[in-house]
Amino acid sequence: MNTYRLNTTKHSEMVDITEQVQSAIAEQGIESGIAVVQSLHTTAGITVNENADPDVVKDFLRRLEEVYPWQHEKDMHMEGNTAAHLKTSTVGSTETILIENGKLVLGTWQGIYFCEFDGPRQNRSFAVKGIS
Amino acid sequence: MNTYRLNTTKHSEMVDITEQVQSAIAEQGIESGIAVVQSLHTTAGITVNENADPDVVKDFLRRLEEVYPWQHEKDMHMEGNTAAHLKTSTVGSTETILIENGKLVLGTWQGIYFCEFDGPRQNRSFAVKGIS
Amino acid sequence: MNTYRLNTTKHSEMVDITEQVQSAIAEQGIESGIAVVQSLHTTAGITVNENADPDVVKDFLRRLEEVYPWQHEKDMHMEGNTAAHLKTSTVGSTETILIENGKLVLGTWQGIYFCEFDGPRQNRSFAVKGIS
């Protein structure tokens, strides 16, 4: 298992981690199988989405904020980040990606993202494990 | 594979099943790999979220109900539980969690939840399988 | 790994792919383990949901469109399909299903769906890999 740390710089942010996941798989020597990528937080998730036009990420985060607004008069959780918990379970804490010939199987536009929903934060982390 | 049954007591409810998943992994003797937890229903899912403040779960279920309200004038499904189907696919039917040294790899606040979206129900079930 | 191609016929559509996934597992000779099903697109996902009443799928797609409407005045992504990217990450790009005795472990009403969110399209594809 490889664990990676990162610092996020915005309140909501999608960080492309495809290269780290590929590196972990190479280091672990997985030729064929799956890569499991897990966020170790409840206010940050992992998703696969478009890696080409950066506007997709901007639209994505703004739309998700509209569905789960940060401020909500009925929220009881004292920390005030209920919306981040919902966004995390919506995109999911974990992603599984197929591996063939030592490479992640990804469609032309697919990239793997660490999704910060309650930043900016120091020492966010995610773990990667390949299974043959 | 270990299968667990549970009875739910509310219409919407998140039941912490982290201990059962850990027990299944121990029983299956998985030292390093992944645990896959699958709900066997289409109106109940599995998610990873905060296990500390119970208000997170209350906010979570109330917010999800606002996004996918139980009553909807356009719904055609006779059983009347369309919202539960949407909530299930949103959080997902399955979760995958990493395992190291025989233990689930979970961040400080991460717990695994069985999410009832159309309760209360008797004999709900989920299955757990560890893969090395 | 088995890769399947399909053509979709509507703008939003859920295609039941349970049989293909079961065939792939049989062909790969997986007796016990997991099946990982991955969409190779960022505007089409994979989910597990009800396979009995076709009205569930109709309600499901209409409700998802209400949460993530196709038209949105603030969207910046030139291609105009931001909603499809959000729907894909909401249901997820990948599903993992347990396997026992060479068969997918599915509850009575569970089926596996390829979810088209930006169709109709030719040559959509998904990949299936079994892990023991």
Side-chain angles (χ1 to χ4, degrees):
Chain A
M1 188 172 86
N2 291 60
T3 305
Y4 296 88
R5 298 195 173 277
L6 72 165
N7 299 331
T8 57
T9 60
K10 298 175 190 166
H11 189 259
S12 287
E13 185 177 1
M14 288 168 74
V15 182
D16 191 329
I17 59 171
T18 312
E19 282 187 28
Q20 285 104 312
V21 178
Q22 181 60 60
S23 296
I25 294 315
E27 201 178 307
Q28 294 173 28
I30 309 293
E31 273 300 303
S32 173
I34 55 173
V36 177
V37 186
Q38 183 180 334
S39 163
L40 299 173
H41 310 276
T42 57
T43 54
I46 307 289
T47 201
V48 168
N49 219 302
E50 178 168 328
N51 61 3
D53 178 2
D55 282 341
V56 171
V57 164
K58 291 177 193 167
D59 288 351
F60 190 99
L61 294 173
R62 194 195 59 250
R63 290 265 205 139
L64 216 49
E65 174 65 23
E66 290 174 0
V67 174
Y68 304 113
W70 192 256
Q71 302 280 356
H72 194 299
E73 56 177 10
K74 291 188 183 165
D75 280 351
M76 298 163 69
H77 182 42
M78 294 276 284
E79 220 181 322
N81 59 0
T82 286
H85 290 285
L86 280 144
K87 291 174 183 177
T88 299
S89 278
T90 296
V91 305
S93 297
T94 306
E95 270 294 347
T96 302
I97 299 102
L98 300 178
I99 303 168
E100 284 279 277
N101 305 315
K103 299 280 181 192
L104 294 167
V105 175
L106 289 168
T108 313
W109 312 109
Q110 288 184 314
I112 308 168
Y113 286 96
F114 179 89
C115 306
E116 171 65 80
F117 294 126
D118 189 19
R121 296 260 193 140
Q122 303 264 310
N123 281 318
R124 287 301 214 180
S125 55
F126 62 93
V128 182
K129 190 179 195 77
I131 305 279
S132 294
Chain B
M1 188 173 86
N2 291 60
T3 305
Y4 296 89
R5 296 194 174 277
L6 73 164
N7 299 330
T8 57
T9 61
K10 298 174 190 167
H11 189 259
S12 287
E13 184 177 1
M14 288 168 74
V15 181
D16 190 329
I17 58 172
T18 312
E19 282 187 28
Q20 285 102 312
V21 178
Q22 181 60 60
S23 296
I25 295 315
E27 200 177 308
Q28 294 173 28
I30 310 294
E31 274 300 303
S32 173
I34 54 172
V36 178
V37 186
Q38 183 180 335
S39 163
L40 299 174
H41 309 277
T42 57
T43 54
I46 308 288
T47 200
V48 168
N49 219 301
E50 179 169 328
N51 61 3
D53 179 2
D55 282 342
V56 171
V57 164
K58 291 177 193 166
D59 288 351
F60 190 99
L61 293 173
R62 194 196 59 251
R63 291 264 205 139
L64 216 50
E65 174 65 23
E66 289 174 1
V67 174
Y68 303 114
W70 192 257
Q71 302 279 357
H72 195 299
E73 57 177 10
K74 292 188 184 166
D75 280 351
M76 299 164 69
H77 180 42
M78 294 275 285
E79 220 181 324
N81 60 0
T82 286
H85 290 285
L86 280 145
K87 292 174 183 178
T88 299
S89 278
T90 296
V91 305
S93 298
T94 305
E95 270 294 347
T96 302
I97 299 102
L98 300 179
I99 301 167
E100 283 280 277
N101 304 315
K103 300 279 181 192
L104 295 167
V105 175
L106 289 169
T108 312
W109 312 109
Q110 288 183 314
I112 309 168
Y113 285 97
F114 179 89
C115 306
E116 171 65 80
F117 294 127
D118 189 18
R121 296 263 193 137
Q122 304 263 311
N123 281 317
R124 287 300 216 182
S125 55
F126 62 93
V128 182
K129 192 181 194 77
I131 305 279
S132 294
Chain C
M1 188 172 87
N2 291 62
T3 304
Y4 296 88
R5 297 195 174 276
L6 72 165
N7 299 330
T8 57
T9 60
K10 299 175 190 165
H11 189 259
S12 286
E13 184 178 1
M14 289 168 72
V15 182
D16 190 329
I17 59 171
T18 312
E19 282 188 28
Q20 286 102 314
V21 179
Q22 180 60 59
S23 297
I25 295 314
E27 200 177 309
Q28 294 173 29
I30 310 293
E31 273 299 305
S32 173
I34 55 173
V36 178
V37 187
Q38 182 180 335
S39 163
L40 299 173
H41 310 276
T42 58
T43 55
I46 308 288
T47 201
V48 168
N49 219 302
E50 179 169 327
N51 61 2
D53 178 1
D55 282 341
V56 171
V57 164
K58 291 177 193 166
D59 288 350
F60 190 99
L61 294 173
R62 195 196 58 251
R63 290 263 204 140
L64 216 50
E65 174 64 23
E66 289 174 1
V67 174
Y68 304 113
W70 192 258
Q71 302 280 356
H72 194 300
E73 57 176 11
K74 292 187 183 166
D75 280 351
M76 299 163 69
H77 181 43
M78 294 277 283
E79 219 181 322
N81 59 1
T82 286
H85 290 285
L86 280 144
K87 292 173 183 178
T88 300
S89 279
T90 295
V91 305
S93 298
T94 306
E95 269 296 344
T96 302
I97 299 102
L98 300 179
I99 301 167
E100 284 280 276
N101 304 315
K103 299 280 181 192
L104 295 168
V105 176
L106 289 169
T108 312
W109 312 110
Q110 288 182 315
I112 308 168
Y113 286 96
F114 179 89
C115 306
E116 170 65 80
F117 294 126
D118 189 19
R121 296 262 193 138
Q122 304 262 312
N123 282 317
R124 287 302 216 180
S125 55
F126 63 94
V128 182
K129 191 179 193 77
I131 305 278
S132 294

